């Protein structure tokens, strides 16, 4: 891969540079986000782009980046990339959907303990010079009931750690999820809310979840319960949460995500939750740890290499998933095509006419595109490559030798 160049922007963790460079890829680094013409000019001759959330890869940028083959989003979200335009140009996109989940879980555990022992209230009083030694309102976690809403990657890990601390875990998820350990599945959200001392929200941000937690839901929680949201801000009605805390119905809350988050560091933060006792507010840092950043760097760089070396699209955000071990000495053809009848027959016809024997092949389709990975024995001449690129349904063809 000595002829490949990568551009990594937005201060991506150095581990990603090491992974790519050790495979012979020339890496150009930039600490800032890039945009518009500057991004386009830096992409000349670049096959691999790595970015975080601040660099916007629009359809216009992609149209002016003919060398680009793969984009790595070294973060969770991929809204900053025009995925449809990337797919239409045959550019694979990868992200890191798992890498920071442990960090979120650990913050949730810390906050459950802090809320249940009223740590921030004690801390505030001490800093104000007041010694208020009292056990009132402070509880052990052991034996307390934790209700987890959304039992996915984060919710299920939280379940395991909370149970190790002696909590009785119950969860509610709209999808079928295996209960881990002694966790109990609730049939409805209402059942969970009525039976939990701590409710922690870990659902995804699908549109139907907007505003799913309001006064009715808080009203079902037992008096003295606490609430955590480290998922998405727009899921929760913060005025209703404020009212329930001010009235004393809820004993506290921890909120990491907000409906309108400030654009950047130093921007003012407004919220009706400011200044309330036993309410912990954090600036969307649930997944922000140095370990998570390192893991993201390692994970996404590995995905980029897997695609460049073998055309592997496992966990790609936009391309159908194909993972096929490479055969020694075979040439691999990566054909991304429009999902139309006859695409595979056309591919087979060109290979047969070129005297090439197919040794292994895997095709997956998804929506409007199909992705066929084919290993052939023998020399793949320019004529065959040109014919495959000229097929009516071809979006992109890449050839990996050796
Ligand atoms: N605070 C942070 O820094 C941070 C970091 C990473 C992820 N997150 C957020 O955490 C949340 C969970 O992430 P994840 O990786 O565990 O997601 P996930 O997709 O693995 O799990 C989400 C679960 O919620 C369930 N679900 C969806 N809607 C539901 C509903 N209305 N009721 C009950 N269950 C429902 C899904 O079936 C799924 O099991 C996401 O919103 C994500 O954006 C926040």
């Amino acid at each position: 891969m000595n002829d490949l160049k990568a551009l990594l922007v937005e201060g991506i963790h150095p581990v990603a540079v090491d992974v790519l460079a050790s495979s012979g890829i020339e890496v150009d680094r930039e600490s800032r986000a890039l945009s518009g013409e500057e991004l386009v000019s830096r992409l000349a001759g670049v096959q691999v782009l790595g970015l975080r959330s601040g660099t916007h890869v629009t359809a216009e940028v992609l149209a002016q980046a003919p060398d680009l083959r793969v984009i790595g989003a070294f973060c969770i979200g991929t809204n900053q990339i025009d995925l449809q335009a990337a797919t239409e140009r045959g550019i694979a996109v990868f992200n890191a959907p798992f890498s920071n989940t442990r960090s979120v879980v650990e913050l949730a555990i810390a906050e459950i303990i802090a809320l249940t022992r009223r740590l921030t209230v004690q801390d505030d009083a001490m800093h104000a010079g007041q010694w208020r030694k009292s056990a009132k309102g402070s509880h052990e976690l052991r034996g307390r009931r934790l209700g987890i809403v959304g039992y996915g990657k984060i919710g299920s890990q939280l379940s395991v750690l909370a149970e190790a601390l002696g909590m009785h875990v119950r969860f509610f998820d709209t999808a079928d999820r295996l209960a881990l350990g002694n966790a109990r599945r609730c049939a409805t959200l209402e059942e969970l809310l009525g039976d939990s001392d701590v409710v922690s929200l870990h659902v995804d941000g699908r549109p139907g979840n907007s505003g799913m937690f309001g006064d009715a839901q808080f009203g079902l929680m037992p008096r003295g319960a606490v609430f955590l949201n480290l998922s998405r801000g727009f899921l929760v009605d913060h005025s209703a949460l404020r009212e329930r805390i001010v009235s004393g119905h809820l004993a506290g809350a921890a909120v990491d995500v907000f409906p309108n988050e400030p654009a950047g560091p130093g921007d003012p933060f407004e919220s009706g939750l400011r200044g309330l006792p036993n309410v912990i507010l954090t600036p969307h840092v649930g997944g922000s740890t140095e370990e998570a950043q390192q893991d993201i760097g390692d994970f996404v760089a590995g995905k980029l290499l897997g695609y460049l070396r073998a055309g592997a699209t496992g966990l790609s955000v936009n391309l159908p998933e194909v993972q096929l071990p490479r055969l020694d000495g075979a040439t691999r053809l990566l054909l991304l095509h429009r999902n139309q009848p006859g695409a595979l027959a056309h591919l087979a016809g060109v290979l047969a006419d070129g005297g090439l024997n197919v040794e292994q092949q895997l095709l997956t389709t998804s929506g409007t595109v199909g992705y066929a990975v084919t290993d052939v024995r023998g020399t793949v001449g320019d004529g065959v490559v040109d014919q495959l690129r000229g097929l009516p349904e071809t979006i992109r063809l890449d050839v990996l030798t050796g």
Side-chain angles (χ1 to χ4, degrees), residues 78-97:
T78 50
N79 294 343
Q80 71 281 36
I81 303 163
D82 188 328
L83 292 177
Q84 194 182 335
T87 307
E88 283 164 6
R89 294 187 175 278
I91 296 169
V93 180
F94 295 92
N95 68 342

Side-chain angles (χ1 to χ4, degrees), residues 97 100-101 104 149-155 172-175 177 202-206 209 212 230-232 256-257 284-287:
N100 65 4
T101 55
V104 179
V149 185
Y151 206 65
K153 294 182 283 295
I154 292 173
F172 171 69
D173 198 299
T174 44
R177 297 282 181 235
H202 299 286
V203 304
D204 53 66
R206 66 185 73 177
N209 284 345
M212 66 178 281
L230 293 87
S231 55
R232 302 296 285 270
D256 185 47
V257 287
H284 204 147
V285 290

Side-chain angles (χ1 to χ4, degrees), residues 107-135:
L107 182 61
I109 290 284
E111 291 180 333
I112 291 170
I113 296 174
L115 292 172
T116 307
R117 293 297 291 271
R118 300 183 68 78
L119 282 188
T120 57
V121 176
Q122 315 261 25
D123 184 58
D124 285 349
M126 291 295 278
H127 282 283
Q130 296 165 3
W131 183 268
R132 291 192 200 156
K133 185 173 164 68
S134 162

Side-chain angles (χ1 to χ4, degrees), residues 310 312 322-326 332 360-362 373-375:
V322 174
Q323 303 215 77
L324 192 61
R326 289 205 67 173
R332 174 159 285 192
Q360 62 173 357
Q361 185 173 49
L362 202 53
V373 173
T374 308
D375 284 347

Side-chain angles (χ1 to χ4, degrees), residues 122-257:
Q122 315 261 25
D123 184 58
D124 285 349
M126 291 295 278
H127 282 283
Q130 296 165 3
W131 183 268
R132 291 192 200 156
K133 185 173 164 68
S134 162
K136 195 168 184 314
S138 285
H139 300 278
E140 292 185 350
L141 283 198
R142 187 172 47 161
R144 280 183 93 70
R145 301 163 298 172
L146 169 64
I148 299 173
V149 185
Y151 206 65
K153 294 182 283 295
I154 292 173
S156 56
Q157 283 187 69
L158 176 62
S159 172
V160 172
L161 291 195
E163 203 168 278
L165 289 168
M167 297 193 82
H168 297 310
V169 178
R170 59 268 288 122
F171 69 91
F172 171 69
D173 198 299
T174 44
D176 284 335
R177 297 282 181 235
L178 177 70
L180 301 178
N182 293 320
R184 180 170 68 76
R185 183 186 185 104
C186 291
T188 63
L189 178 60
E190 290 70 24
E191 179 192 339
L192 175 137
L193 294 176
D195 192 32
S196 300
D197 304 303
V198 178
V199 171
S200 198
L201 187 55
H202 299 286
V203 304
D204 53 66
R206 66 185 73 177
N209 284 345
S210 179
M212 66 178 281
F213 251 84
D215 192 59
Q217 287 68 35
F218 293 127
L220 291 173
M221 291 168 61
R223 195 171 175 81
V226 298
F227 173 76
L228 289 87
N229 182 17
L230 293 87
S231 55
R232 302 296 285 270
F234 60 84
L235 307 178
V236 176
D237 178 347
H238 280 186
S239 335
L241 178 56
R242 181 189 160 79
E243 291 309 313
R244 288 284 172 179
I245 287 168
V246 170
S247 74
H249 179 86
L250 294 186
V255 182
D256 185 47
V257 287

Side-chain angles (χ1 to χ4, degrees), residues 111 253-256 258 269 271-276 279-283:
E111 291 180 333
V255 182
D256 185 47
F258 300 86
F269 165 67
S271 167
L273 298 175
R274 280 177 49 190
L276 298 180
V279 171
I280 301 172
L281 304 179
T282 45

